[in-house]
Amino acid sequence: MAAEYSDIDIAPYIDHSLLIPTATTEQVQQWCEQADRFNFAAVCVTPVNVRIAAEYLHKKKPKVCTVIGFPTGATTSAVKLYEAQEAVENGATELDVVINLGWLKAGKTDDVHREIAEICQETGQTVKVILETNLLTDAEKRLAAEICIDAGAAFLKTCTGWNGGATVKDVRLLKEVARETVGIKASGGIRTLEQALNLIVAGATRLGTSYGVELLQQQKKLEKKN
């Protein structure tokens, strides 16, 4: 698969992620510099590092993304909303929000919808909803996707990476539900060019990974061989 689709430029798909708790200011700046140099779609950092990323990427092409309710999705709606609003004030233009999985499994679909809709409406920014697909049945994935699309999400995102990674099967399922109405972000465990290309071909329009630079290096090596 990698050789067959090696002509796909993966750089514009990449959300260059730095979500480790030990991330330093220097690492955030390094990630931003790499995102700008390699034409990545965005840098995704923890909320505490949004301002640093926003200052570095001011008037540059990559967007500043952060995570909300990460990684469990189990904080209260009020806390998630405040976290999202503060992130936007600090310069984030994309918000990756973890849904409340307990509510979804308990059938509290109105609560799930309300929480996501409120964040979408109050921030006015691009919201990518993390479904944590590895913890859901296929029926729950479809339900969660439908709820989040209706609530105003701009992207459906597979995983945080804390409970397993993205799969081609899940990307295809989300694409089927979305019907081109929203983007699909595959995230979690994407470390090889073959994985990245397979996910893009399956329907991913963004790739969340901390291995963006390595993926480009792998692609260059493949191009030289061909």
Side-chain angles (χ1 to χ4, degrees), residues 16 18 24-38 40 43 52 56-57 213-214:
H16 198 32
L18 183 64
T24 64
T25 298
E26 290 73 21
Q27 284 176 303
V28 174
Q29 292 173 337
Q30 178 187 4
W31 249 242
C32 291
E33 187 276 328
Q34 290 171 343
D36 183 44
R37 189 196 328 166
F38 296 115
F40 292 155
V43 167
I52 298 168
Y56 189 93
L57 291 173
V213 175
E214 288 84 351

Side-chain angles (χ1 to χ4, degrees), residues 109-150:
T109 55
D110 288 345
D111 289 334
V112 176
H113 185 283
R114 174 185 49 75
E115 181 174 271
I116 298 303
E118 190 173 32
I119 292 172
C120 292
Q121 292 165 9
E122 294 297 324
T123 65
Q125 301 299 324
T126 297
V127 172
K128 309 189 201 93
V129 184
I130 306 174
L131 306 182
E132 203 68 312
T133 48
N134 291 302
L135 300 182
L136 303 177
T137 65
D138 283 355
E140 289 169 339
K141 294 169 195 174
R142 290 179 182 278
L143 176 60
E146 290 168 355
I147 291 169
C148 294
I149 292 171
D150 189 68

Side-chain angles (χ1 to χ4, degrees), residues 7-142:
D7 58 333
I8 296 174
D9 181 8
I10 64 171
Y13 288 86
I14 293 173
D15 282 4
H16 198 32
S17 304
L18 183 64
L19 299 174
I20 55 173
T22 55
T24 64
T25 298
E26 290 73 21
Q27 284 176 303
V28 174
Q29 292 173 337
Q30 178 187 4
W31 249 242
C32 291
E33 187 276 328
Q34 290 171 343
D36 183 44
R37 189 196 328 166
F38 296 115
N39 195 35
F40 292 155
V43 167
C44 188
V45 296
T46 51
V48 73
N49 289 316
V50 165
R51 190 181 293 277
I52 298 168
E55 289 174 354
Y56 189 93
L57 291 173
H58 182 59
K59 293 187 177 181
K60 299 187 188 313
K61 189 174 181 180
K63 300 180 185 303
V64 177
C65 173
T66 194
V67 287
I68 304 299
F70 191 86
T72 67
T75 48
T76 66
S77 295
V79 169
K80 283 184 182 177
L81 179 59
Y82 179 84
E83 188 176 30
Q85 290 173 322
E86 183 181 44
V88 172
E89 289 174 4
N90 287 336
T93 58
E94 298 193 346
L95 307 169
D96 287 18
V97 183
V98 188
I99 66 166
N100 189 311
L101 295 161
W103 283 352
L104 182 73
K105 287 184 173 289
K108 298 180 179 180
T109 55
D110 288 345
D111 289 334
V112 176
H113 185 283
R114 174 185 49 75
E115 181 174 271
I116 298 303
E118 190 173 32
I119 292 172
C120 292
Q121 292 165 9
E122 294 297 324
T123 65
Q125 301 299 324
T126 297
V127 172
K128 309 189 201 93
V129 184
I130 306 174
L131 306 182
E132 203 68 312
T133 48
N134 291 302
L135 300 182
L136 303 177
T137 65
D138 283 355
E140 289 169 339
K141 294 169 195 174
R142 290 179 182 278

